[in-house]
Every structure is written in structure tokens, then in C-alpha cells.
Amino acid sequence: MSESQINEAIQAPARPARKRPGLALWLAAAALGVAGWQFYSTQQQLDSMRQELARRLAEGSGAGKEQRAIAEQAMLAARATDGKLALVEARVNEAAGQYATLNGMYQELTKNRTDWLLSEIEHTLAIASQQLQLAGNVSAAVSALEMVDARLAKFDRPQLIGVKKAVATDLEKLKALPYLDSVGLTVKIDRLMLGVDSLPLVVDAHRLGGARGAHPAALPATAPWWERLSAEISASLGELIHIRRMDKPEALLLSPEQAFFLRENLKMRLLDARLALLQRDGKTYAADVAAARSYVQRYFDRDAAATVQWLATLGELEGAPLDISLPDMASSLKAVRDAQGASGE
């Protein structure tokens, strides 16, 4: 087959296709319309999506601005809070410094107050101890210890525990002693000393009795002369002779000077008894009281009311419990001084 024949064979089938060109064109136009419509629809959707996205972006931008405003307000509030916190912290530090200063001042004041209290207690105990040892004044010592115990009860300090125990122990010892009213006994002795000068002597009573017997009752003027004469003779004999029973005749031989020294000796005996009472010397006290009673019973008129009362008062002085050993307050004083030494450290 030749080349021309081949070309004719190839071109031969194409000829009938030229007869329907409009269908393809319509198909192409339809496809193009569909594609245009899809493109338009897609553009509409894209525009809608763009608008929605823009709206949402606008809303997000507004919310972001609001959030930023809230965040800025929160930052401002945080900064204000930080400033307030710094101010509070500064005030706390200042208060802590003031507290430390006040605590130090309180400790110093407490220490000084404790030292002052211990010094006062030591002074009180020293005076009470002197009164107890020198004068035997148990009641004063008990009162002093009770006052000290009441003062110590108001303070709850560890360094005062030993002092409280020592004071309580000494107070119990003093309260266990027999009661002796040394002040009352001293007042009675002073009263007896003042009453010595008013006691009548036996010789004074004898002279008064003789004077009373020398002046009998006068007879009436209407009595017979012999009765009046007999009475005068009896009176004259009575002045010359006086008969009286006397157990201790030496009491009638006292001169006025001897009577003066007798009264002074009686006062000296009572004064010695008073000193023995203050010194708690029971033997000397009993001897002086017995000697005073002996003087009064021997040389003074025991029947006189003043003498009877004087001897009754003297009897109240006898039997006073002086022969007892008084405790000292050395333990309390030692406890106070130990507490002072511990406080000074």
C-alpha cells in the first residue's frame, strides 16, 4: 500500500465527524456553566466564610481587648497589692523590732522588780530575825513571815520557789511554839513598877492602927464622971503601951530611908524580870518574880486592897513559858541571798 493510500485511509473516517460539531460545543458550554456555577457558589461560600471569620475575628478582637483591659486591671491591682504587701511587711518588721525592744525592756524591768522584791524581803527578814533573837518577839516574827509569804504568792517566778519553801518552813516552826504574850507581860511589869510607890508598908499600917487606937470614941457629956475618968486613963495607957501580934518584927524596924531603898530594890527586881523576859531567860525571870513577891509579903501590908491587887497581877506573871529555844530564820535569809545571787548572774 502506498503512502497516499494510507493517508486516504486515515483521513477517511474523519469526514463523518465534521457533520456534528454543535453537540460537543453544547456539552462544553454546559460543562463551562456548571463549572461557573460551582465557582460562583464556591465564591459565595468563601465570602460567607470570610464574613463569618471577620465577624468572629472582630468578636475575638473585642474579647481580647476586654481581656487585655481585665488583665491590665489585674496587673494594676497586683501592683497595688504588692505595694500594700510591702507596706504591711515593713510595718510587721517595725512591729517585730518594737516587740523585741519592749520584750527586752520588760525583761529588764522584771529583773529589776525581782531584785527589788528580794532586797525588800531580805530587809524584812533581817529585822524580824533581830526581833526574834534579841527580844524574843515571836508574834512580830510570825507577822513578818506572813507578810513576806503573801508578797511572794503574787509572783510566779522560778527563782522564788526556794525562798517560798524556806519562808513557809520557818513560819510553821514559829507557829508551833507555845504562845507567849511578851508585850502583855511587859505592860503588866510596867504597871507593877508604877504601883510600887502606892503599896502600904507594914510599919505604916501599924502606925495608923496605933493612931486609930489612941483616940477612942468620946463619951457623951451626960456620962458619969467616973466613966469619963476611966476612959481618959485608958487612953493615956494606950499611948504608952500597944500590943499587936507580928510575924515579922523586922518590918516594923524600917526607917524612912530604908523604906525608900526597899521600894527601889523592888522596882529593880521587876526591871530585871522585864529584861529577862526580853532575853527569854526563864531562870532569872522566875527568880526576880519570886524575889518581888517575897519583898511584898514580908514588908508590905498584905491585907490592904492595893497589895492584894498587886500580888494578883504579879501572879499572872508567874509560870510564863520562857524556857524554850527559839528557832532562827537563817534558812529564809540564805534562800533570799541565793536567789539574789542567781538573779544577778
Side-chain angles (χ1 to χ4, degrees), residues 177-191:
L177 294 176
Y179 177 72
L180 176 64
D181 188 8
S182 58
V183 177
L185 294 177
T186 302
V187 172
K188 291 179 181 179
I189 292 175
D190 292 340
R191 191 186 306 164

Side-chain angles (χ1 to χ4, degrees), residues 160-176:
L160 299 179
I161 295 177
V163 180
K164 292 180 180 180
K165 290 182 179 179
V167 170
T169 302
D170 289 341
L171 185 59
E172 291 179 359
K173 290 180 181 179
L174 290 177
K175 287 184 176 181

Side-chain angles (χ1 to χ4, degrees), residues 222-289:
T222 57
W225 61 272
W226 62 85
E227 290 183 2
R228 292 197 300 272
L229 178 62
S230 176
E232 292 177 358
I233 293 173
S234 298
S236 299
L237 292 176
E239 292 178 358
L240 297 176
I241 302 172
H242 181 71
I243 301 174
R244 184 179 180 185
R245 183 177 178 181
M246 189 67 192
D247 296 335
K248 298 180 178 59
E250 67 274 11
L252 298 176
L253 302 178
L254 290 176
S255 62
E257 293 81 6
Q258 291 174 338
F260 172 77
F261 287 112
L262 174 63
R263 295 181 187 275
E264 293 301 319
N265 287 335
L266 180 56
K267 292 179 183 179
M268 289 298 296
R269 283 290 188 175
L270 293 174
L271 182 60
D272 291 341
R274 179 180 178 182
L275 294 176
L277 174 63
L278 296 178
Q279 297 175 358
R280 293 293 181 120
D281 188 356
K283 293 182 180 180
T284 304
Y285 174 82
D288 290 330
V289 171

